[in-house]
Amino acid sequence: MKKVLALTAAGLAGVLLLGTSGTKSVSATQSNNERVFPLQLEEQIPVPNVAGRLDHLTADAKRKRLIVSALGNNTVEVIDTFAGKVIHSIPGVSEPQGPLYVADVDKLYVANAGDGKVNVYDGATYTLRKSIEIGEDPDNMRYDPTTKRVFVGFGEEDGGIATIDPATDERVGEVFKTAGHPESFQVETSGPHIFVNVPDADNVVESIDRKTGAIAKWPLKGLRGNYAMALNEADHRLFVITRKTPMMVVIDTQTGNEIARLRAAGECDDVFFDASRKRVYVVGGEGFISVFQQDDPVHYSLIQNVPSAIGVRTGFWYAKRDRFYVAVPAKGNDPAQIWTYEAED
């Protein structure tokens, strides 16, 4: 079932490109000698016996494993990225959403929307070590290596960010309250802030100071559905992706000012920043990955809308392997899959 694909420009004639003023959109009818796509599709890895929606992903770099939450299947699938196959399936989870592997403690954390818990698994054997009560709809998770804390977003109207000490797997400290359900969020490692997408509360971005508890709210004027978020901490830039209208909004994290907005692939649920290339990868459910270049902290341009598949909304930028992975749900006779793209300079 594993297929190796060479994605050439000549083979993509007629593909829709979502151009916008000031971008570098390139016609898909150009020859491959003239254009190398920023992401080259090189492999499709089957994820058999998995039905329904695939949600977020995480990676165990040491063991070269990719881990995906099969939300609609109530399993977590572990993939050997070198062998290109599923090597383990964790059953008995309840609508898993955000997985998080923490190398410092060799543990896998999985947020379960169905029962309001975060399950903690051994990183080598995937044996369940503990279940931590969190609250309604735990979703995205992040790890701060500076403070050595795990953060998990949860709740609906009474939303917030809970904190877990991975040394003890106990909840610690107070909940950082948000105005509604926290979607994607990012944690500063060199500063005290958590940046949170809160689409249920007038589509704002909240900047929470972990030291003082102060909250700044940054509105996204004229836009709705801010779900995905990525951070370029070195340049103080936050990338927020909206669904209505599909845009990438660039925000200065020091001032909250909007720096730029560019049309992006629609129905996005994941976005990643490639620090080595200064690129942003926007995974869109309408069948494209929008690849943007940060020309400098003030100027951005669209390099290419790279084809993926309809319904692909989540992915993972695996910086140590220079690979970008997207989760493809099962369709018809085709099994669920993980597609592997190689980043090109």
Side-chain angles (χ1 to χ4, degrees), residues 286-313:
E286 63 181 8
F288 298 95
I289 305 166
S290 292
V291 181
F292 294 96
Q293 184 69 52
Q294 178 180 295
D295 301 313
D296 59 55
V298 177
H299 299 95
Y300 299 81
S301 53
L302 175 68
I303 301 176
Q304 187 78 43
N305 283 298
V306 176
S308 56
I310 298 297
V312 175
R313 295 179 175 85

Side-chain angles (χ1 to χ4, degrees), residues 171-182:
R171 288 184 57 171
V172 294
E174 297 181 3
V175 172
F176 299 104
K177 292 292 186 180
T178 57
H181 177 67

Side-chain angles (χ1 to χ4, degrees), residues 134-321:
I134 297 295
E136 187 178 12
D137 197 18
D139 194 349
N140 281 274
M141 303 186 74
R142 301 287 183 263
Y143 177 63
D144 177 11
T146 302
T147 60
K148 298 189 180 302
R149 291 291 184 264
V150 170
F151 298 92
V152 53
F154 74 100
E156 294 300 332
E157 292 183 3
D158 188 25
I161 309 290
T163 308
I164 297 169
D165 180 352
T168 62
D169 291 326
E170 298 287 344
R171 288 184 57 171
V172 294
E174 297 181 3
V175 172
F176 299 104
K177 292 292 186 180
T178 57
H181 177 67
E183 290 293 340
S184 184
F185 65 93
Q186 296 294 332
V187 180
E188 281 186 325
T189 60
S190 59
H193 296 94
I194 301 176
F195 306 105
V196 190
N197 271 334
V198 192
D200 295 337
D202 297 323
N203 305 284
V204 299
V205 174
E206 294 187 346
S207 174
I208 304 172
D209 189 317
R210 285 182 279 169
K211 292 182 177 179
T212 67
I215 300 175
K217 296 186 178 185
W218 303 332
L220 300 166
K221 298 177 181 178
L223 301 174
R224 292 182 293 154
N226 51 314
Y227 289 90
M229 174 189 288
L231 176 64
N232 171 6
E233 189 168 350
D235 292 325
H236 309 289
R237 293 294 181 263
L238 192 67
F239 307 105
V240 175
I241 314 302
T242 60
R243 293 185 179 180
K244 297 182 180 180
T245 305
M247 288 282 185
M248 179 179 78
V249 181
V250 184
I251 297 174
D252 185 324
T253 60
Q254 294 180 306
T255 65
N257 293 335
E258 182 177 313
I259 302 300
R261 63 171 62 184
L262 296 89
R263 187 68 180 258
E267 294 300 312
C268 169
D269 205 23
D270 264 337
V271 58
F272 298 89
F273 179 66
D274 176 352
S276 66
R277 294 176 178 83
K278 298 283 187 178
R279 288 179 182 171
V280 183
Y281 305 125
V282 179
V283 187
E286 63 181 8
F288 298 95
I289 305 166
S290 292
V291 181
F292 294 96
Q293 184 69 52
Q294 178 180 295
D295 301 313
D296 59 55
V298 177
H299 299 95
Y300 299 81
S301 53
L302 175 68
I303 301 176
Q304 187 78 43
N305 283 298
V306 176
S308 56
I310 298 297
V312 175
R313 295 179 175 85
T314 58
F316 187 81
W317 169 239
Y318 201 158
K320 290 190 176 182
R321 287 209 65 205

Side-chain angles (χ1 to χ4, degrees), residues 17 46 77 94 114 126 129 173 237 248 319 345:
L17 298 179
E77 304 297 317
S94 182
Y126 305 109
R129 299 177 60 161
R237 293 294 181 263
M248 179 179 78
D345 293 323

